[in-house]
Amino acid sequence: DQEADIRAQDVVTDAAPKMTYAQVADAIAKAADADKLAEAGDLIGSVADAEQRTELAALFERREAELQA
């Protein structure tokens, strides 16, 4: 039934790892090489707020440029 489907979707959504902006920003800042930065970049999608994900993507790009310099 529809109610069971909704409950099942909630379980799947809740199973996704949740990260805070600060946790991901810290991982980006601490990335010492391209591999660590890529791992940190993968975490951006686990932040719930879309505006914060946009800001994190900008931080990622800045850190990427720093590592390439």
Side-chain angles (χ1 to χ4, degrees):
D1 77 345
Q2 188 176 13
E3 226 176 283
D5 289 342
I6 292 170
R7 282 194 301 272
Q9 288 173 357
D10 287 344
V11 170
V12 171
T13 301
D14 290 344
K18 306 249 189 327
M19 298 289 289
T20 66
Y21 176 92
Q23 289 171 314
V24 178
D26 189 53
I28 291 170
K30 289 181 177 176
D33 58 42
D35 289 337
K36 292 293 183 191
L37 183 61
E39 290 173 18
D42 288 342
L43 300 174
I44 294 172
S46 64
V47 174
D49 185 270
E51 190 172 317
Q52 289 181 341
R53 288 193 306 269
T54 300
E55 291 176 22
L56 288 166
L59 286 176
F60 176 89
E61 290 174 9
R62 262 184 262 142
R63 184 67 182 136
E64 187 174 44
E66 290 171 2
L67 289 174
Q68 291 174 353

